Amino acid sequence: PDPIPTPEKVMCKVELEQLSFGCKSPSVETMQNLLADVGYELDVDGIFGNETKEVLTKFQEEYKLEVDAICGCQTWKALIEAV
């Protein structure tokens, strides 16, 4: 049998929306799914409301990020890497 290949790391550049309170979009749903995958409990509904703001703030605190309740570059990166 062939050995299982080890995945290589590659650098990918993608544009992601900066998300903040009040946003409604599929990107918010993606962020919510990532937060849920990391272990946070929240409704995945594509709406950045109070619950999402609270959970995102907790994530930012726990991952030693700037706590601003905004999902920007550093928060997206940390979310993706945490999963």
Side-chain angles (χ1 to χ4, degrees):
D2 292 328
I4 298 171
T6 304
E8 282 184 50
K9 292 196 180 233
V10 294
M11 179 62 75
C12 297
K13 282 190 168 187
V14 295
E15 286 188 17
L16 299 166
E17 294 178 346
Q18 179 170 292
L19 305 172
S20 58
F21 184 79
C23 289
K24 296 176 186 177
S25 74
S27 293
V28 174
E29 191 171 337
T30 299
M31 175 189 66
Q32 291 169 329
N33 275 312
L34 289 169
L35 287 163
D37 289 348
V38 175
Y40 295 91
E41 287 189 33
L42 76 162
D43 290 333
V44 177
D45 58 8
I47 301 168
F48 195 135
N50 288 319
E51 181 185 49
T52 300
K53 183 178 177 179
E54 269 184 44
V55 170
L56 184 63
T57 299
K58 285 180 192 170
F59 175 82
Q60 289 175 326
E61 288 171 357
E62 290 178 15
Y63 283 79
K64 310 289 189 249
L65 301 168
E66 179 181 351
V67 180
D68 58 6
I70 296 171
C71 189
C73 290
Q74 295 304 312
T75 302
W76 274 116
K77 183 177 185 294
L79 271 171
I80 292 165
E81 289 176 352
V83 174

